[in-house]
Coordinates of all heavy atoms in Angstrom, one line a residue:
K25 N 0.9 -1.2 0.0 CA 0.0 0.0 0.0 C 0.9 1.2 0.0 O 2.1 1.2 0.3 CB -1.0 0.0 1.2 CG -0.3 0.0 2.5 CD -1.4 -0.1 3.6 CE -0.8 -0.2 5.0 NZ -1.8 -0.2 6.0
H26 N 0.3 2.3 -0.4 CA 1.0 3.6 -0.4 C 0.5 4.5 0.7 O -0.7 4.9 0.7 CB 0.8 4.3 -1.8 CG 1.4 3.5 -2.9 ND1 2.6 3.8 -3.4 CD2 1.0 2.4 -3.5 CE1 2.9 2.9 -4.4 NE2 2.0 2.0 -4.4
N27 N 1.3 4.7 1.7 CA 1.0 5.5 2.8 C 1.3 7.0 2.6 O 2.3 7.4 2.1 CB 1.7 5.1 4.1 CG 1.4 3.7 4.5 OD1 0.2 3.3 4.5 ND2 2.4 2.9 4.7
G28 N 0.3 7.9 2.8 CA 0.4 9.3 2.6 C 0.5 9.6 1.1 O 1.2 10.6 0.8
G29 N 0.0 8.8 0.3 CA 0.1 9.0 -1.1 C -0.9 8.1 -1.9 O -1.9 7.7 -1.4
F30 N -0.4 7.7 -3.1 CA -1.2 6.9 -4.0 C -0.3 6.3 -5.1 O 0.9 6.6 -5.2 CB -2.3 7.8 -4.7 CG -1.7 8.9 -5.5 CD1 -1.3 8.7 -6.8 CD2 -1.4 10.2 -4.9 CE1 -0.7 9.7 -7.6 CE2 -0.8 11.2 -5.7 CZ -0.4 10.9 -7.0
Q31 N -0.9 5.4 -5.9 CA -0.3 5.0 -7.1 C -1.3 4.9 -8.2 O -2.4 4.4 -8.0 CB 0.3 3.6 -7.0 CG 1.0 3.1 -8.3 CD 1.7 1.8 -8.2 OE1 1.2 0.8 -7.7 NE2 3.0 1.8 -8.6
I32 N -1.0 5.5 -9.4 CA -1.8 5.4 -10.6 C -1.1 4.4 -11.5 O 0.1 4.6 -11.7 CB -2.0 6.7 -11.3 CG1 -2.7 7.7 -10.4 CG2 -2.7 6.5 -12.6 CD1 -2.7 9.1 -10.9
I33 N -1.7 3.4 -11.9 CA -1.1 2.4 -12.8 C -1.8 2.5 -14.2 O -3.1 2.3 -14.2 CB -1.3 1.0 -12.2 CG1 -0.8 0.9 -10.8 CG2 -0.5 0.0 -13.1 CD1 -1.2 -0.3 -10.1
L34 N -1.1 2.7 -15.2 CA -1.6 2.7 -16.6 C -1.0 1.6 -17.4 O 0.2 1.6 -17.7 CB -1.4 4.1 -17.2 CG -1.8 4.2 -18.7 CD1 -3.3 3.9 -18.8 CD2 -1.4 5.5 -19.3
A35 N -1.7 0.5 -17.7 CA -1.2 -0.6 -18.4 C -0.9 -0.1 -19.9 O -1.8 0.5 -20.5 CB -2.2 -1.7 -18.4
T36 N 0.3 -0.5 -20.3 CA 0.7 0.0 -21.7 C 0.8 -1.2 -22.7 O 0.8 -1.0 -23.9 CB 2.0 0.8 -21.6 OG1 3.0 0.0 -21.0 CG2 1.8 2.1 -20.9
A37 N 1.0 -2.4 -22.1 CA 1.1 -3.6 -23.0 C 0.9 -4.9 -22.2 O 1.1 -4.9 -21.0 CB 2.5 -3.6 -23.6
G38 N 0.3 -5.9 -22.9 CA 0.1 -7.2 -22.3 C -1.1 -7.3 -21.5 O -2.0 -6.4 -21.6
E39 N -1.1 -8.3 -20.6 CA -2.3 -8.6 -19.7 C -1.8 -9.0 -18.4 O -0.7 -9.6 -18.2 CB -3.2 -9.7 -20.3 CG -3.9 -9.3 -21.5 CD -4.9 -10.4 -22.0 OE1 -4.8 -11.5 -21.4 OE2 -5.7 -10.0 -22.8
G40 N -2.6 -8.7 -17.4 CA -2.2 -9.1 -16.0 C -3.4 -9.0 -15.1 O -4.6 -9.0 -15.6
W41 N -3.2 -8.8 -13.8 CA -4.2 -8.8 -12.8 C -3.9 -7.6 -11.8 O -2.8 -7.3 -11.5 CB -4.2 -10.1 -12.0 CG -4.6 -11.2 -12.9 CD1 -3.8 -12.1 -13.5 CD2 -6.0 -11.6 -13.2 NE1 -4.5 -13.0 -14.2 CE2 -5.9 -12.7 -14.1 CE3 -7.2 -11.1 -12.9 CZ2 -7.0 -13.3 -14.6 CZ3 -8.3 -11.7 -13.5 CH2 -8.2 -12.8 -14.3
Y42 N -5.0 -7.1 -11.3 CA -5.0 -6.1 -10.2 C -6.0 -6.6 -9.2 O -7.1 -6.9 -9.5 CB -5.3 -4.7 -10.8 CG -5.5 -3.7 -9.7 CD1 -4.5 -2.9 -9.3 CD2 -6.8 -3.4 -9.1 CE1 -4.6 -1.9 -8.4 CE2 -6.9 -2.5 -8.2 CZ -5.9 -1.7 -7.8 OH -6.0 -0.7 -6.8
Q43 N -5.6 -6.6 -7.9 CA -6.5 -7.0 -6.9 C -6.3 -6.2 -5.6 O -5.2 -6.1 -5.0 CB -6.4 -8.5 -6.5 CG -7.4 -8.9 -5.5 CD -7.4 -10.4 -5.3 OE1 -6.4 -11.1 -5.5 NE2 -8.4 -11.0 -4.7
E44 N -7.4 -5.6 -5.1 CA -7.4 -4.9 -3.8 C -7.9 -5.9 -2.8 O -8.7 -6.8 -3.1 CB -8.4 -3.7 -3.8 CG -7.9 -2.6 -4.8 CD -8.9 -1.4 -4.7 OE1 -9.8 -1.4 -3.9 OE2 -8.7 -0.5 -5.5
E45 N -7.3 -5.8 -1.6 CA -7.6 -6.7 -0.5 C -9.1 -6.7 -0.3 O -9.8 -5.7 -0.2 CB -6.9 -6.3 0.8 CG -7.0 -7.2 1.9 CD -6.2 -6.8 3.1 OE1 -6.2 -5.6 3.5 OE2 -5.4 -7.6 3.6
G46 N -9.7 -8.0 -0.2 CA -11.1 -8.1 0.1 C -12.0 -8.0 -1.1 O -13.2 -8.1 -1.0
K47 N -11.4 -7.7 -2.3 CA -12.2 -7.6 -3.5 C -11.8 -8.6 -4.5 O -10.7 -9.1 -4.5 CB -12.1 -6.2 -4.1 CG -12.6 -5.1 -3.2 CD -12.5 -3.8 -3.9 CE -13.1 -2.7 -3.1 NZ -13.1 -1.4 -3.8
P48 N -12.6 -8.9 -5.5 CA -12.2 -9.9 -6.5 C -11.2 -9.3 -7.4 O -11.1 -8.1 -7.6 CB -13.5 -10.2 -7.3 CG -14.5 -9.1 -6.9 CD -14.0 -8.5 -5.6
P49 N -10.3 -10.2 -8.0 CA -9.3 -9.7 -9.0 C -9.9 -9.1 -10.2 O -11.0 -9.5 -10.6 CB -8.5 -10.9 -9.3 CG -9.4 -12.1 -9.0 CD -10.3 -11.6 -7.9
V50 N -9.2 -8.2 -10.8 CA -9.7 -7.6 -12.1 C -8.6 -7.8 -13.1 O -7.4 -7.6 -12.9 CB -9.8 -6.0 -11.9 CG1 -10.2 -5.3 -13.2 CG2 -10.9 -5.8 -10.8
K51 N -9.0 -8.3 -14.3 CA -8.1 -8.4 -15.4 C -7.6 -7.1 -15.8 O -8.4 -6.1 -15.9 CB -8.8 -9.1 -16.6 CG -7.9 -9.6 -17.7 CD -7.2 -10.8 -17.3 CE -6.6 -11.4 -18.6 NZ -5.8 -12.6 -18.2
F52 N -6.3 -6.9 -16.1 CA -5.7 -5.7 -16.4 C -5.0 -5.7 -17.8 O -4.1 -6.6 -18.0 CB -4.7 -5.4 -15.3 CG -4.3 -4.0 -15.0 CD1 -5.2 -3.0 -14.8 CD2 -3.0 -3.7 -15.1 CE1 -4.8 -1.7 -14.6 CE2 -2.6 -2.4 -14.8 CZ -3.5 -1.4 -14.6
R53 N -5.5 -4.9 -18.7 CA -5.0 -5.0 -20.1 C -4.5 -3.6 -20.5 O -4.8 -2.6 -19.9 CB -6.1 -5.4 -21.0 CG -6.7 -6.8 -20.8 CD -7.8 -7.1 -21.8 NE -8.3 -8.4 -21.6 CZ -9.3 -8.8 -20.8 NH1 -10.0 -7.9 -20.1 NH2 -9.7 -10.0 -20.7
A54 N -3.7 -3.6 -21.6 CA -3.2 -2.3 -22.2 C -4.4 -1.3 -22.3 O -5.4 -1.7 -22.8 CB -2.6 -2.6 -23.5
G55 N -4.2 -0.1 -21.8 CA -5.2 0.9 -21.8 C -6.0 1.0 -20.5 O -6.6 2.0 -20.3
D56 N -5.9 0.0 -19.7 CA -6.6 0.1 -18.4 C -5.8 0.9 -17.4 O -4.6 1.0 -17.5 CB -6.8 -1.3 -17.8 CG -7.8 -2.2 -18.6 OD1 -8.6 -1.6 -19.4 OD2 -7.8 -3.4 -18.4
M57 N -6.6 1.5 -16.4 CA -6.0 2.3 -15.4 C -6.5 1.9 -14.1 O -7.7 1.5 -14.0 CB -6.3 3.8 -15.7 CG -5.5 4.8 -14.9 SD -6.1 5.4 -13.3 CE -7.8 5.8 -13.6
A58 N -5.7 1.9 -13.0 CA -6.1 1.6 -11.7 C -5.5 2.7 -10.8 O -4.4 3.2 -11.0 CB -5.6 0.3 -11.2
L59 N -6.3 3.1 -9.8 CA -5.8 4.1 -8.8 C -5.9 3.4 -7.4 O -7.0 3.0 -7.0 CB -6.7 5.3 -8.8 CG -6.5 6.3 -7.7 CD1 -5.1 6.9 -7.7 CD2 -7.5 7.4 -7.7
A60 N -4.8 3.3 -6.8 CA -4.7 2.7 -5.4 C -4.4 3.9 -4.5 O -3.3 4.4 -4.5 CB -3.6 1.7 -5.4
D61 N -5.4 4.2 -3.7 CA -5.2 5.3 -2.8 C -5.6 4.8 -1.4 O -6.8 4.7 -1.0 CB -6.2 6.4 -3.2 CG -6.0 7.7 -2.4 OD1 -5.1 7.7 -1.5 OD2 -6.8 8.7 -2.6
G62 N -4.6 4.5 -0.6 CA -4.8 4.0 0.8 C -5.3 2.6 0.9 O -5.9 2.3 2.0
V63 N -5.2 1.8 -0.1 CA -5.7 0.4 -0.1 C -4.5 -0.5 -0.2 O -3.5 -0.2 -0.7 CB -6.7 0.1 -1.2 CG1 -8.0 1.0 -1.0 CG2 -6.1 0.3 -2.5
T64 N -4.7 -1.8 0.3 CA -3.7 -2.8 0.2 C -4.1 -3.6 -1.1 O -5.2 -4.0 -1.3 CB -3.8 -3.8 1.4 OG1 -3.4 -3.0 2.6 CG2 -2.8 -4.9 1.3
Y65 N -3.1 -3.8 -1.9 CA -3.4 -4.4 -3.2 C -2.1 -5.1 -3.8 O -1.0 -4.9 -3.2 CB -3.9 -3.4 -4.2 CG -2.9 -2.4 -4.6 CD1 -2.3 -2.4 -5.9 CD2 -2.5 -1.4 -3.8 CE1 -1.4 -1.5 -6.3 CE2 -1.6 -0.4 -4.1 CZ -1.0 -0.5 -5.4 OH -0.1 0.4 -5.7
W66 N -2.2 -5.8 -4.9 CA -1.1 -6.3 -5.6 C -1.5 -6.2 -7.1 O -2.6 -6.1 -7.5 CB -0.7 -7.7 -5.2 CG -1.7 -8.8 -5.6 CD1 -2.8 -9.2 -4.9 CD2 -1.8 -9.5 -6.9 NE1 -3.5 -10.1 -5.6 CE2 -2.9 -10.4 -6.8 CE3 -1.0 -9.6 -8.0 CZ2 -3.3 -11.2 -7.8 CZ3 -1.3 -10.4 -9.0 CH2 -2.5 -11.2 -8.9
H67 N -0.5 -6.4 -8.0 CA -0.7 -6.4 -9.4 C 0.5 -7.2 -10.1 O 1.5 -7.3 -9.5 CB -0.9 -5.0 -10.0 CG 0.2 -4.0 -9.7 ND1 1.3 -3.8 -10.4 CD2 0.3 -3.3 -8.6 CE1 2.0 -2.8 -9.8 NE2 1.4 -2.5 -8.7
G68 N 0.2 -7.7 -11.2 CA 1.3 -8.5 -11.9 C 0.8 -9.0 -13.2 O -0.4 -8.8 -13.6
A69 N 1.7 -9.8 -13.9 CA 1.4 -10.3 -15.2 C 0.5 -11.5 -15.2 O 0.5 -12.3 -14.1 CB 2.7 -10.6 -16.0
A70 N -0.2 -11.8 -16.2 CA -0.9 -13.1 -16.4 C 0.1 -14.2 -16.6 O 1.3 -13.9 -16.8 CB -1.9 -13.0 -17.6

């Protein structure tokens, strides 16, 4: 998680996953964007 801040993730190529704690995973593809602001999460490649 990002304390006192945030992370904006903009997928530029390929496919992967993004998941916030306690929520279902989301497929993450080129052109997708995620904003993690004070949440626990992970992301990575398929």
Side-chain angles (χ1 to χ4, degrees):
K25 61 184 176 176
H26 295 261
N27 296 313
F30 60 86
Q31 182 177 50
I32 299 169
I33 308 166
L34 176 60
T36 56
E39 293 186 346
W41 295 98
Y42 171 90
Q43 184 177 19
E44 293 182 7
E45 187 174 49
K47 294 186 178 181
V50 176
K51 191 75 165 180
F52 201 57
R53 296 179 177 93
D56 291 344
M57 193 264 318
L59 170 62
D61 186 5
V63 298
T64 299
Y65 69 104
W66 70 271
H67 49 96

